[in-house]
Amino acid sequence: MKFSLTILGVNSAIPANGRVPTSQILQVQSEKFLIDCGEGCQIRMDQYGIGRSYINQIFLSHLHGDHLFGLPGLLYSFSLNRRKQALHLYAPQSELLRQMLLNLLSAQGELGFELVFHDAAASPGNVRLVFENELLSVHSFPLVHRVPTVGYLFREKQRPRNIIPEKISEYGLTVEQILEAKSGEQVRLPDGRALDPEELTLPPPEPRSYAYASDTMYSEDIVPVVAGVDLLYHEATFAHDLADYAAETMHSTARQAAEIALKARVKKLILGHYSSRYKELAPLLSEAKEVFPNTVLGEEGRVYEVPFRSARK
Ligand SMILES: [Zn+2]
Ligand SMILES: [Zn+2]
């Protein structure tokens, strides 16, 4: 089953150096979760062959334009495509977002589908469940920025155990017994024998996870929230020689992103939200790798797959 992140836009502030402002798609099975929607989002989707179908949830970190200004265009396209299905928008300051969008779109007539606004604001120490379905949950968590800002943690739900096919015929298991074993219960056979679920099933793969943290100044408060995730995207707007300026503008350096990744023991760190002053990104990558070797540059068009991992016994 697919669990992959595609970066659509990875610049901060303005389009520059061939990069566009922030947006990403996390695909879980066929469902596409759009994360931020900066200017250029739709152009990148078109370039990368990503259709607009199966986008039903959009998660916005905050209302700065470099994370938002692609959204009116996307909504307009949905409307022209005669979308009927409701679209769910998650954001801090969701009421302000609602007013902004409805004012902007009022000259276009009816959209033809419902916009459902969800408040994703999270206060310090507060991790908030904002969405769940049968496959995964999404929590928002507070970031430290100039306006109310949240990150998002996407985590798959634990799957049931996997039945060993040969055991079905060996013991003549019924559908009910298979379901019992998959859910970790003991199975009793007609002759009175009791079989442990470990005899009949294999453990499910570990739930996969992705944490998105942009924009934020360095804050160790997020370490316990993102601990152990498969992928962490953490903004790295500046190189560390501009650490003071990063703090002043409430952004992070590449080294600080790596320090968070190290402290949180994540599996892989993806850098992004680069300042337009960096045409070449190699210096950001190398300073991060000194602290956390399994760091990669976030690059537009790249797909970061998270494969299944076998469960620990
Ligand atoms: Zn930004
Ligand atoms: Zn911002």
Side-chain angles (χ1 to χ4, degrees):
M1 190 187 85
K2 208 174 183 55
F3 190 99
S4 68
L5 178 73
T6 304
I7 302 225
L8 302 173
V10 79
N11 217 42
S12 71
I14 58 171
N17 303 317
R19 307 186 296 259
V20 300
T22 302
S23 60
Q24 320 185 330
I25 283 189
L26 181 71
Q27 187 165 353
V28 181
Q29 274 190 351
S30 58
E31 196 76 16
K32 297 171 197 160
F33 299 96
L34 183 62
I35 305 164
D36 280 337
C37 193
E39 178 185 354
C41 169
Q42 285 198 92
I43 292 169
R44 291 293 189 247
M45 285 171 64
D46 185 44
Q47 285 174 336
Y48 306 149
I50 297 170
R52 278 181 284 273
S53 49
Y54 298 106
I55 296 178
N56 297 311
Q57 328 286 337
I58 300 179
F59 297 89
L60 299 173
S61 60
H62 62 308
L63 302 190
H64 277 158
D66 55 331
H67 301 253
L68 177 65
F69 286 168
L71 189 56
L74 180 62
L75 299 181
Y76 188 57
S77 298
F78 277 137
S79 183
L80 293 175
N81 291 157
R82 301 184 190 282
R83 181 189 178 103
K84 292 284 173 261
Q85 202 170 354
L87 181 69
H88 295 262
L89 300 170
Y90 302 79
Q93 299 186 291
S94 57
E95 177 54 26
L96 177 58
L97 175 68
R98 191 181 71 80
Q99 290 169 16
M100 287 164 62
L101 288 176
L102 295 190
N103 281 334
L104 192 63
L105 294 165
S106 60
Q108 314 303 326
E110 288 293 314
L111 272 181
F113 60 94
E114 188 187 4
L115 290 177
V116 186
F117 293 86
H118 300 266
D119 185 21
S123 49
N126 174 13
V127 172
R128 180 171 181 181
L129 177 69
V130 292
F131 171 80
E132 68 177 330
N133 63 14
E134 67 283 2
L135 295 176
L136 86 168
S137 62
V138 185
H139 288 82
S140 66
F141 56 92
L143 297 175
V144 185
H145 195 43
R146 302 191 302 276
V147 296
T149 303
V150 296
Y152 291 101
L153 173 64
F154 299 79
R155 193 185 291 283
E156 277 187 312
K157 291 187 172 170
Q158 181 73 61
R159 292 153 166 272
R161 298 175 67 86
N162 291 318
I163 196 80
I164 303 169
E166 304 83 68
K167 300 290 181 183
I168 299 174
S169 51
E170 185 181 340
Y171 293 110
L173 298 177
T174 64
V175 172
E176 289 75 20
Q177 287 170 327
I178 292 170
L179 292 175
E180 282 169 8
K182 279 168 71 79
S183 60
E185 293 170 38
Q186 223 179 36
V187 171
R188 192 161 289 277
L189 298 177
D191 63 9
R193 277 183 296 165
L195 300 174
D196 289 332
E198 291 77 16
E199 157 90 21
L200 304 172
T201 59
L202 295 171
E206 293 270 309
R208 294 168 292 184
S209 51
Y210 170 55
Y212 175 79
S214 180
D215 301 355
T216 187
M217 64 187 295
Y218 180 78
S219 168
E220 293 180 6
D221 289 350
I222 72 169
V223 168
V225 180
V226 305
V229 294
D230 292 290
L231 286 181
L232 168 66
Y233 174 93
H234 193 291
E235 74 133 281
T237 309
F238 301 107
H240 205 67
D241 60 336
L242 292 181
D244 289 346
Y245 186 60
E248 196 181 308
T249 54
M250 303 189 96
H251 285 297
S252 299
T253 68
R255 176 171 302 178
Q256 288 170 337
E259 281 165 7
I260 295 292
L262 182 70
K263 285 183 179 5
R265 297 170 179 265
V266 307
K267 309 283 186 306
K268 180 184 279 193
L269 169 65
I270 304 172
L271 302 178
H273 199 264
Y274 311 119
S275 164
S276 303
R277 75 192 62 214
Y278 303 111
K279 191 167 170 48
E280 297 301 325
L281 301 171
L284 298 180
L285 180 62
S286 58
E287 78 169 33
K289 279 185 152 218
E290 280 174 24
V291 176
F292 188 77
N294 198 13
T295 302
V296 295
L297 285 173
E299 292 176 300
E300 291 169 10
R302 259 192 76 179
V303 180
Y304 304 82
E305 301 270 0
V306 183
F308 273 133
R309 276 180 293 119
S310 304
R312 289 183 292 273
K313 298 272 171 123

